Amino acid sequence: MIDAHPPMTTTPGPTTPPSSIGWIDARDYGFSPDADGIANAEALQRALDRGGTIIVSQPGTYDMARTVYVGSHTSLTFGAGVWMRKTTQVGPFSHVLLNRGAMSKTCDEAIAIHGLRLIINEVDFCTHEVFGLRGQLAFFHVHDLTVTGFRCYDLGRMQYAIHICSFEDIRLDDLIIHGKKDGVHLGRGKRFTISNGVFRTLDDAIALNAHDYDTGNPELGWIEHGVIENCHDLYDANTKGYFCRILAGAWRDWEAGMEVQKSDTVVSNGRLYRVRAEPDGTKYRSLTQPLHERGAQMLDGINWHMLQDHAVYNAGVRHVVFRDITLASPRTAFSIHFDKDRYSRSYYPGAVLPQQEDLLLDHVTVVHDQPLPLLSINTPVDAVTISHSRLADNRIQFRGEPEMHGGLPTQINLIGCTFIQPGETVLLQNDVVGKRVTLRAVGSLPRDGFAARIVDPSGNVTVHGDLPLKID
């Protein structure tokens, strides 16, 4: 079995030792609310190049006109009343902060960012210093990362607020993110905590995208061993994404004559290659095997991007706990799925399906009053447990094509849940022919008159427990 997380090399620490007093103030390097965006970027970069502990102590709004890079063993703290504002002094740019090793896929470690308050100022531009990396705050190949006290209230339509891919051991705490795109967007990695977050986002509040469309993540692989806790999805009538997107993918070895589209992935000579294309629905016939070691190459009219030099054949999310989640925005809360549209086909026909595993929803409270799914599932998943949660008319829905479930069963456990919806409510809906589901309910507290309906046209749902049930 190929390791989904191969060892990462680590960048060396700073060549210049930190200040003898243990920290440096960025204003001593020219970082100032009175400076322009280029001068500030250059000044902050000089401070960050020292490594160690850097503080920004002087309150004010600091213009930033280009990306600055942070390396290993560096802590950057913004004091009270400090805001960073993107500007287009020399044209639009993407990342405000990016780890130094991202371009070379060399791992940075022991980075901490505290108190970053970011004004996007409509500078929302998806250039690619690293193809597929699009966060305002972005990290790629990083170990031991901490981000606390992050604020952003004007996120645009193109860039995620925080984007991290190919990681180990990250902690994101005390976040407030409002705007149009994803709040926190994770690619492959393991051991993570996202805590004390408040989100009002048009797209996903949190995206766990083990797979993604071609410009959405710079590498593919499993996301595992995480905790997401004390997070709030605030009310917004115009949302289109999910509180949490849990996205899997599967692909195959390249073979002559195969048909591919935008974002399709193949394994070739031990590497992953992806199709870079416009989302216009075009299908391409691949006759020439991609073998290049880096970058992109046009073959048979297909723009093949070499994604990563370690081959995996599928990816998903496993061993993740969601705890103390409040859902006020009227949208599907958790979507466990494959993409299948003109932007991305995350399951290539005939590929080996991934089974997502061991997802726990604990103390989830639905406060909106719309009849929208709590869970929407169209991938294999072994078990989902929902415990001590407050639910209304919020069904668990299985959907999609039978081959995308692979005949694998799913167990849904309901433990100590309170059901506040009066009357008859659809609790579980199975629209997938041949999909076997076992529902177990223990210690439920239904409102008087509550009756749960199970909609199961193909007769593949088995029910155990203490809820009053009607099976259609």
Side-chain angles (χ1 to χ4, degrees):
M1 180 176 180
I2 296 174
D3 184 2
H5 299 284
M8 301 178 185
T9 56
T10 304
T11 55
T15 56
T16 305
S19 165
S20 60
I21 61 174
W23 54 266
I24 60 176
D25 195 322
R27 69 179 175 181
D28 295 337
Y29 291 76
F31 195 55
S32 168
D34 299 321
D36 65 29
I38 288 296
N40 270 337
E42 292 174 347
L44 186 57
Q45 189 65 70
R46 286 193 295 270
L48 288 171
D49 287 345
R50 295 290 302 272
T53 300
I54 298 99
I55 65 169
V56 181
S57 63
Q58 182 181 358
T61 299
Y62 293 74
D63 285 340
M64 295 291 292
R66 67 165 178 80
T67 300
V68 293
Y69 303 89
V70 57
S72 295
H73 307 289
T74 301
S75 175
L76 175 60
T77 298
F78 297 88
V82 174
W83 290 82
M84 290 180 69
R85 179 174 61 195
K86 295 182 78 175
T87 69
T88 54
Q89 182 180 342
V90 291
F93 67 104
S94 288
H95 320 299
V96 175
L97 286 173
L98 176 65
N99 67 298
R100 193 184 305 277
M103 279 78 72
S104 61
K105 297 188 179 182
T106 305
C107 188
D108 289 297
E109 63 181 9
I111 295 174
I113 309 295
H114 303 296
L116 174 58
R117 302 168 187 88
L118 183 59
I119 301 171
I120 305 304
N121 194 30
E122 298 185 355
V123 185
D124 180 42
F125 191 63
C126 196
T127 56
H128 292 285
E129 291 192 54
V130 176
F131 187 76
L133 195 67
R134 56 196 300 175
Q136 299 285 354
L137 182 59
F139 298 90
F140 180 45
H141 285 264
V142 65
H143 289 180
D144 187 13
L145 168 70
T146 300
V147 177
T148 65
F150 179 82
R151 301 289 185 268
C152 180
Y153 297 95
D154 64 338
L155 195 62
R157 291 182 179 274
M158 296 296 294
Q159 288 184 255
Y160 316 134
I162 300 173
H163 188 186
I164 308 169
C165 185
S166 302
F167 65 84
E168 292 185 12
D169 305 310
I170 64 172
R171 298 157 299 279
L172 311 180
D173 181 56
D174 183 16
L175 315 173
I176 301 179
I177 301 173
H178 296 186
K180 298 183 177 69
K181 201 60 178 168
D182 298 3
V184 175
H185 188 105
L186 300 186
R188 77 177 190 104
K190 56 187 174 184
R191 299 186 300 274
F192 65 95
T193 303
I194 302 170
S195 56
N196 303 308
V198 178
F199 302 92
R200 180 180 280 122
T201 56
L202 175 68
D203 217 328
D204 310 322
I206 297 170
L208 305 181
N209 283 16
H211 185 272
D212 219 321
Y213 54 97
D214 58 343
T215 62
N217 256 329
E219 289 187 343
L220 305 179
W222 284 87
I223 299 173
E224 53 195 347
H225 305 300
V227 175
I228 297 170
E229 60 185 354
N230 191 30
C231 289
H232 301 259
D233 194 25
L234 300 184
Y235 177 83
D236 192 320
N238 298 314
T239 53
K240 68 175 184 178
Y242 310 100
F243 167 71
C244 187
R245 183 187 300 263
I246 300 169
L247 184 58
W251 45 92
R252 292 169 38 190
D253 286 308
W254 179 89
E255 59 185 41
M258 69 189 307
E259 185 180 82
V260 295
Q261 66 163 65
K262 175 181 172 63
S263 301
D264 275 357
T265 304
V266 299
V267 178
S268 174
N269 199 30
R271 305 185 189 97
L272 293 189
Y273 296 84
R274 302 202 78 187
V275 178
R276 292 168 55 170
E278 294 300 317
D280 56 11
T282 300
K283 298 291 194 298
Y284 305 88
R285 186 175 176 82
S286 180
L287 300 173
T288 307
Q289 183 176 5
L291 294 170
H292 52 287
E293 295 184 3
R294 62 183 61 86
Q297 186 174 352
M298 191 71 71
L299 301 169
D300 311 316
I302 304 167
N303 190 7
W304 287 106
H305 169 67
M306 203 291 283
L307 188 72
Q308 60 202 60
D309 57 8
H310 49 279
V312 292
Y313 285 84
N314 56 38
V317 177
R318 56 194 174 199
H319 315 308
V320 176
V321 175
F322 300 85
R323 179 185 297 124
D324 298 326
I325 308 298
T326 303
L327 303 168
S329 192
R331 56 177 168 184
T332 297
F334 299 89
S335 183
I336 305 172
H337 75 264
F338 290 127
D339 283 334
K340 188 180 180 182
D341 55 30
R342 60 191 175 94
Y343 292 93
S344 175
R345 172 173 56 173
S346 54
Y347 169 67
Y348 193 94
V352 176
L353 288 162
Q355 180 166 258
Q356 306 198 83
E357 302 174 6
D358 186 24
L359 304 177
L360 170 62
L361 282 57
D362 181 54
H363 285 91
V364 173
T365 300
V366 179
V367 298
H368 67 75
D369 60 0
Q370 299 301 305
L372 294 165
L374 175 74
L375 269 170
S376 177
I377 301 171
N378 83 336
T379 77
V381 56
D382 64 348
V384 180
T385 298
I386 305 168
S387 64
H388 306 98
S389 295
R390 178 186 182 274
L391 309 177
D393 190 3
N394 311 118
R395 70 190 63 188
I396 300 162
Q397 183 174 20
F398 289 86
R399 60 183 181 83
E401 301 167 9
E403 60 266 29
M404 295 170 71
H405 290 265
L408 298 170
T410 298
Q411 180 164 314
I412 303 293
N413 302 308
L414 302 177
I415 303 173
C417 292
T418 300
F419 297 88
I420 67 167
Q421 185 76 8
E424 192 173 271
T425 301
V426 176
L427 177 62
L428 189 147
Q429 180 174 341
N430 183 14
D431 295 327
V432 183
V433 175
K435 175 68 180 182
R436 291 174 292 136
V437 180
T438 300
L439 173 67
R440 298 181 183 273
V442 178
S444 306
L445 181 62
R447 177 171 290 186
D448 289 346
F450 172 85
R453 283 181 58 210
I454 307 297
V455 178
D456 179 33
S458 61
N460 285 297
V461 176
T462 303
V463 178
H464 306 274
D466 58 4
L467 277 174
L469 291 171
K470 176 183 177 182
I471 301 178
D472 295 341

